[in-house]
């Protein structure tokens, strides 16, 4: 039972390069989320997806692109990385359907530590 | 604007002490309040609270929600060094997003 996985776990890149962070979940959860976590800012939502082919912006979407062609995958792309995008990125998923409160619970992947030089 | 405020932002206690962490919220369309623990890795789920006055308990950790006064507390009794972590509070609203507090950094000294 793999749950939710992220790859790579660590990434160093240079300013201006394109970077894609991968997220995969095996629970068939409807909702998936991308967060970044920085000192002093806590968890900030970048993008989320309610289902395959349905995505929406969160609090800090600029500079990021997402897609969700399959329910289990939710990649995050930095089109032209900047130093301000150095952060720890977490992917999360939740059932998010059926109306039950338990469906609100988000489960997190292990995170990707991204450094942009 | 919806918001979740946690206090204190940081707390240092000695092993064996009891601690109380606070979470207050102003969120339209409240569905549930969740507590997470974050050590040097991803947040892990602790509790979900939906009804006022019903305590959730897991070992030395317990939590309760007051929907009238719009807050929740997380209690940890007989603290251990392994309880050192950031404790995050989040509130779910109708669109399945979570509104996160900034967290309380708890340090347990041996």
């Amino acid at each position: 039972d793999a749950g939710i996985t992220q790859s790579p776990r660590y990434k160093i890149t240079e300013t201006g390069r394109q970077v894609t962070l991968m997220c995969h979940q095996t629970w068939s959860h409807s909702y998936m989320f991308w967060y970044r976590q920085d000192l002093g800012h806590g968890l900030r939502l970048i993008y989320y997806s309610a289902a395959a082919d349905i995505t929406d912006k969160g609090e800090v979407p600029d500079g990021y692109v997402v897609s969700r062609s399959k329910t289990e995958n939710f990649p995050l792309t930095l089109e032209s990385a900047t130093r301000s995008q150095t952060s720890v990125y977490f992917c999360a998923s939740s059932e998010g359907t059926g109306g039950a409160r338990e469906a609100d619970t988000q489960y997190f992947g292990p995170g990707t530590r991204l450094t942009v030089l | 604007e919806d918001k979740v405020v946690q206090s204190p932002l940081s707390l240092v206690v000695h092993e064996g002490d009891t601690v109380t962490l606070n979470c207050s919220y102003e969120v339209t369309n409240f569905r549930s309040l969740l507590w997470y623990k974050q050590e040097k890795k991803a947040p892990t789920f602790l509790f979900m609270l939906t009804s006022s006055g019903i305590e959730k308990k897991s070992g030395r950790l317990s939590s309760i929600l007051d929907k009238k006064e719009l807050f929740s507390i997380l209690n940890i009794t007989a603290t251990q060094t392994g309880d050192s972590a950031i404790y995050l509070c989040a509130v779910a609203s109708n669109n399945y997003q979570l509104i996160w507090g900034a967290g309380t950094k708890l340090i347990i000294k041996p």
Side-chain angles (χ1 to χ4, degrees):
Chain A
D1 184 4
I4 183 165
T5 57
Q6 293 182 236
S7 62
R9 296 293 312 280
Y10 302 90
K11 176 75 177 178
I12 299 175
T13 191
E14 295 177 338
T15 302
R17 291 192 179 264
Q18 183 179 81
V19 177
T20 296
L21 310 183
M22 304 301 293
C23 179
H24 175 79
Q25 52 105 354
T26 60
W27 294 310
S28 298
H29 282 174
S30 294
Y31 274 74
M32 296 186 75
F33 305 85
W34 274 107
Y35 293 94
R36 60 178 290 173
Q37 188 175 39
D38 308 285
L39 273 175
H41 288 281
L43 282 166
R44 291 186 289 175
L45 182 65
I46 304 170
Y47 270 95
Y48 68 101
S49 168
D53 298 320
I54 301 175
T55 63
D56 208 347
K57 296 178 180 179
E59 181 187 353
V60 289
D62 293 344
Y64 303 95
V65 174
V66 293
S67 62
R68 196 169 174 203
S69 57
K70 292 183 178 181
T71 300
E72 60 267 30
N73 297 324
F74 191 37
L76 175 75
T77 297
L78 288 66
E79 293 188 298
S80 179
T82 65
R83 287 183 183 160
S84 65
Q85 292 176 311
T86 293
S87 186
V88 178
Y89 291 85
F90 289 108
C91 178
S93 71
S94 69
E95 289 184 47
T97 57
R101 301 294 196 266
E102 288 70 22
D104 296 340
T105 305
Q106 292 184 15
Y107 298 93
F108 284 77
T112 295
R113 184 175 293 275
L114 176 67
T115 302
V116 183
L117 301 176
Chain B
E1 182 183 343
D2 293 338
K3 63 179 179 180
V4 175
V5 178
Q6 293 186 244
S7 64
L9 291 181
S10 64
L11 185 58
V12 181
V13 300
H14 287 96
E15 229 175 355
D17 288 350
T18 293
V19 298
T20 298
L21 309 183
N22 303 291
C23 176
S24 64
Y25 61 91
E26 294 177 26
V27 176
T28 51
N29 301 316
F30 173 93
R31 281 175 53 90
S32 59
L33 185 144
L34 300 93
W35 284 96
Y36 286 78
K37 178 182 182 181
Q38 185 176 22
E39 299 170 87
K40 292 181 181 179
K41 47 188 178 179
T44 54
F45 173 69
L46 292 174
F47 297 115
M48 170 183 280
L49 302 151
T50 58
S51 302
S52 282
I54 299 175
E55 185 183 54
K56 289 283 183 85
K57 198 171 173 66
S58 176
R60 296 175 293 102
L61 277 66
S62 63
S63 183
I64 198 160
L65 173 67
D66 186 327
K67 290 172 75 173
K68 182 179 176 185
E69 300 297 330
L70 307 182
F71 77 91
S72 174
I73 59 172
L74 176 67
N75 279 322
I76 309 174
T77 59
T79 53
Q80 302 171 357
T81 54
D83 296 326
S84 294
I86 296 173
Y87 290 84
L88 296 165
C89 173
V91 173
S93 61
N94 274 350
N95 61 1
Y96 294 105
Q97 292 184 47
L98 294 181
I99 301 149
W100 293 89
T104 294
K105 184 175 183 178
L106 177 63
I107 297 172
I108 311 296
K109 288 190 169 182

